[in-house]
Amino acid sequence: MNLPRERWVAFAGVGVLSLIAAAGFAVAIWAAWLFHDMPDASDLADYHPPTATRAYAWDGTLIGEFSRERRIFVPYDNIPPQLAQAFLAAEDRNFFKHAGLDYTGIIRASAKDIINLAQGRRLESGSTITQQVAKNILLTNDATIGRKLKEAMIAQQLEGAISKERILELYLNEIWLGYRSYGVGAAAYNYFGKSITDLDLAECAYLASLPKGPDNYHPIRHKKQAMERRNWVIEQMVEAGWATRAQADAAKREDLVVQPEPSRAKYRDADYFVEEVRRRGLATLGPRLTEGGYYMRTTLDPRLQTAAKASLMKGLETYDRRHGWRGAWGHVTTLTNWEEAAKKAAKPAERPDWVAAVVTDVAGGVHVRTLDGHTGALVADDVAWARRGRGIGSGDLVFVAPSDKGGYLLKQIPAVNGGLVAMDPSSGRVLAMVGGYSFSLSSFNRATQALRQPGSAFKPIVYATALENGYTPASIVVDGPISLPGGNGKMWTPENYEHEYLGPLPLRKGLELSLNTMTVRLAQGVGMPKISASAIRLGVVTKMENVLAMALGAGETTVFRLTGAYSAFVNGGRKVEPHLIELVQDREGKTIFRADGRDCDRCTAGFNGDESPRIPPAGAQVWDPITAYQITSMLQGVVQRGTGAAASVLGRPTGGKTGTTSEFRSAWFVGFTPHIVVGTYIGFDDNRSLGEGEQGARAALPIFIDFMQQTNKYFPADDFRRPAGARYAQVNGITEAFKPGTEPKMVEDNPVGPQPYDQVFQNGVTGAASAAAAVKPGAPAPVPAKPAAKKDETNGLYD
């Protein structure tokens, strides 16, 4: 059909209009879809970026940070002008002049984007700092035209909603700068180990060079490119008038020196403690811990923590050396490229002086070459030690450390492990905690997570329960062979460690000498339900079977729990809650958690001359104060005359109790002075035997002694406080405390010296021959005893 030209033009016009309308409709739909969920820029007025919670020791030492993103928020007023100017020079020199968009920059970036699109590359940024804030906080990183349009619109909204200073503050605290750093505050610490106020021009310029790609300008892997970019930023600052030529030239001559790796805290002796704080913080605060920017004050005493770590590591190494050289951890058949194999070794970070080495020659001694290129010979004693063990030969890969007398010491990572907890008995504050030999090799915390039988270290709870239920320090219990019905129809026959039995004895002797059969008889007389209830009330266990084996420490607990239980003996019978976190405050300074829940109505009022506020002691009363003192006194006897006699070297009032489990699987010592309670434990993670004779007095007690020798100087040498109302009498030449009405006939309110045993013993009974008369009614009758071995009571007695 032939239509006039005018009709064709009309049809074409209608078609074009239809296409335009359709295109407009499509654009409208696309725009509606694109912007329907666009964030509201005004939300940033009260926005706080996720910020690290920082944990501090009691003396203000930073010990750790907990964060989803490593960030230290710095308010705008605290940001040095030179640092802000460096970022403005690198990223957006016209920031304080534009209204969110820099059209010159957009045109320049758009021209480049045409080429980038054709070549399939990412689009150029061309973004102002305001646009970057919009992208980083409110949008995604997708390099699409849609996201760029959103970014531009939100940037303009931002400029009308919040101030320029607030926008720059958000940018400098939000930006990813590599090296595990979000924001300039964290970057200054991680790269340079400094606060932002201590950065010089060159360091400011380097941080400002990073937003374009931290990995491209890594200070170690790409140092040349990093310095070139840094110097470019310095020149931009000169052009903007923010640095003089002389300042710039001096800064460009400066080397780029950073920390080898980012570090959260300079103090590095508390890894196990900090990790336990993190776990407990998450349980208390939830996800807020890693993003709330909290101030957290912990109970840690860095002086004690450093000593605890050193003492435990030394004790584990001592045990390990006693059990011989286990052989090299690796071997090479040729010295060519031996370094590659050596670099794969897992060395404990806690021993920075150790270095991997290869044995090069064993003729006329053992000669080694270290990974850092030095050569030398092993000291003679270590060569002999190795040859008594698995031997040592050429090509063996080992760890060595320089000797003060020349040559090298042969080193071995202990296979055994352990834990140590030090606690303030009056408050439950955990002053130090070490959960193993090396956190870098194993983060499993043996102080809080390793459930083990405490052996005889549990016995003080048995004796305290007896004293709460009618027994006194003058009560007599028989130490002699005993057999009782056990499981599967078999008889259970507990024995003393040295298979010797001392006959009828006062209560104290059973604890001092850790006599198993005497303790079983005592538990039988008291009743296991009462003993189990005591253990549960003290938090040693959450449940316990009412079987007599539990009286000898067959129930599993942790050194953390048992140390907390011992606190009640020292503090007058109160159960304090062991804790690591003292106080948590938010970024506004508001307290959101406080471990000490005691009330003090007048503590915040100004002093007006009235009597000062009196705060009640922490913790519920779980023992009679006299009972607590009686056990404390008996545990002093353990150190003076019993299984813990080695600790008498400390030369001040000290108590404690050893513990060893069957087959020598675990070794314990929990000891104390009036100001600190310390629990130590040694054992293998697979709970195998430590070896014959490795009891608490040999394996664990030396760790306690070493720790106390380092830390006693921080505490006064006080004696244990005597409880009000107690009566005192001499029993076997030892001053004993009694509850009023339970004391023997001869009583001292203020004892000054020993009295003969037969003058004070209850009912006039003297000596062991008539001991049956002094046994608590209902307790098992005396059993003929095997004659005691003739030896010094202070030596050779173990549990």
Side-chain angles (χ1 to χ4, degrees), residues 346-529:
K347 187 190 80 169
E350 295 80 1
R351 288 288 185 243
D353 58 328
W354 290 17
V355 63
V358 63
V359 177
T360 57
D361 182 18
V362 294
V366 175
H367 300 271
V368 298
R369 179 182 301 146
T370 66
L371 196 56
D372 52 10
H374 296 92
T375 59
L378 295 183
V379 299
D381 286 348
D382 286 5
V383 173
W385 174 62
R387 287 174 175 166
R388 287 195 302 269
R390 295 287 183 86
I392 190 167
S394 296
D396 281 351
L397 298 176
V398 296
F399 289 120
V400 298
S403 170
D404 293 338
K405 299 178 181 179
Y408 287 96
L409 302 169
L410 182 61
K411 295 297 181 179
Q412 176 173 260
I413 299 174
V416 73
N417 235 302
L420 185 152
V421 175
M423 194 176 297
D424 176 358
S426 64
S427 65
R429 295 172 60 245
V430 177
L431 305 174
M433 173 193 289
V434 189
Y437 178 75
S438 168
F439 187 85
S440 65
L441 299 180
S442 170
S443 62
F444 180 70
N445 191 332
R446 287 111 188 138
T448 61
Q449 295 175 298
L451 286 168
R452 294 291 185 269
Q453 295 177 346
S456 294
F458 180 80
K459 288 177 181 174
I461 296 171
V462 177
Y463 284 74
T465 306
L467 292 167
E468 291 275 285
N469 287 277
Y471 286 81
T472 78
S475 297
I476 296 293
V477 178
V478 171
D479 176 46
I482 185 172
S483 292
L484 299 163
N488 301 322
K490 298 180 179 179
M491 298 299 290
W492 178 55
T493 306
E495 298 178 324
N496 291 339
Y497 176 76
E498 294 188 348
H499 307 291
E500 296 178 351
Y501 305 95
L502 305 180
L505 295 170
L507 216 59
R508 166 184 291 274
K509 284 298 181 183
L511 199 52
E512 287 185 356
L513 305 181
S514 200
L515 301 173
N516 290 336
T517 61
M518 183 173 171
T519 302
V520 169
R521 280 193 172 84
L522 182 64
Q524 192 178 34
V526 174
M528 278 307 301

Side-chain angles (χ1 to χ4, degrees), residues 267-274 276 300-302 304-314 316 350 417-422 430-439 442-450 559-560 580 678-681 703 707:
Y267 183 76
R268 303 304 300 271
D269 287 341
D271 289 335
Y272 285 104
F273 185 97
V274 171
E276 187 67 22
L300 186 82
D301 185 329
L304 273 61
Q305 178 65 30
T306 297
K309 177 181 172 182
S311 295
L312 182 66
M313 293 184 73
K314 176 182 176 182
L316 295 174
E350 295 80 1
N417 235 302
L420 185 152
V421 175
V430 177
L431 305 174
M433 173 193 289
V434 189
Y437 178 75
S438 168
F439 187 85
S442 170
S443 62
F444 180 70
N445 191 332
R446 287 111 188 138
T448 61
Q449 295 175 298
V559 68
F560 182 82
L580 290 76
V678 181
T680 58
Y681 149 79
I703 297 172
F707 173 75

Side-chain angles (χ1 to χ4, degrees), residues 170-316:
L170 289 172
Y171 173 75
L172 292 175
N173 282 286
E174 185 73 26
I175 189 71
W176 166 245
L177 295 173
Y179 233 46
R180 307 179 193 172
S181 307
Y182 285 87
V184 293
Y189 274 109
N190 288 344
Y191 280 103
F192 303 113
K194 297 180 178 181
S195 167
I196 59 172
T197 57
D198 297 326
L199 297 176
D200 62 22
L201 175 59
E203 291 164 340
C204 290
Y206 174 68
L207 295 185
S209 72
L210 296 170
K212 284 291 188 285
D215 289 341
N216 297 333
Y217 305 112
H218 192 280
I220 298 174
R221 293 194 298 268
H222 305 296
K223 184 174 180 178
K224 181 175 180 293
Q225 295 93 321
M227 292 186 68
E228 289 175 352
R229 175 71 178 174
R230 178 201 69 180
N231 293 345
W232 177 84
V233 173
I234 293 172
E235 286 298 326
Q236 297 301 304
M237 295 181 71
V238 173
E239 287 186 19
W242 293 327
T244 66
R245 172 51 55 193
Q247 290 172 330
D249 290 344
K252 288 164 69 175
R253 287 194 298 270
E254 191 175 307
D255 193 13
L256 177 58
V257 179
V258 299
Q259 298 184 116
E261 61 181 19
S263 175
R264 294 189 179 190
K266 298 298 183 184
Y267 183 76
R268 303 304 300 271
D269 287 341
D271 289 335
Y272 285 104
F273 185 97
V274 171
E275 175 58 17
E276 187 67 22
V277 166
R278 187 192 68 82
R279 281 197 290 262
R280 291 170 184 258
L282 280 174
T284 302
L285 302 172
R288 293 180 298 163
L289 176 72
T290 59
E291 57 190 37
Y294 297 130
Y295 162 81
M296 180 181 286
R297 189 176 74 223
T298 72
T299 59
L300 186 82
D301 185 329
R303 303 169 303 175
L304 273 61
Q305 178 65 30
T306 297
K309 177 181 172 182
S311 295
L312 182 66
M313 293 184 73
K314 176 182 176 182
L316 295 174

Side-chain angles (χ1 to χ4, degrees), residues 14-38:
V14 171
V16 170
L17 291 174
S18 298
L19 287 173
I20 292 173
F25 183 67
V27 169
I29 292 175
W30 178 74
W33 171 82
L34 180 65
F35 298 119
H36 81 281
D37 60 347
M38 193 168 69

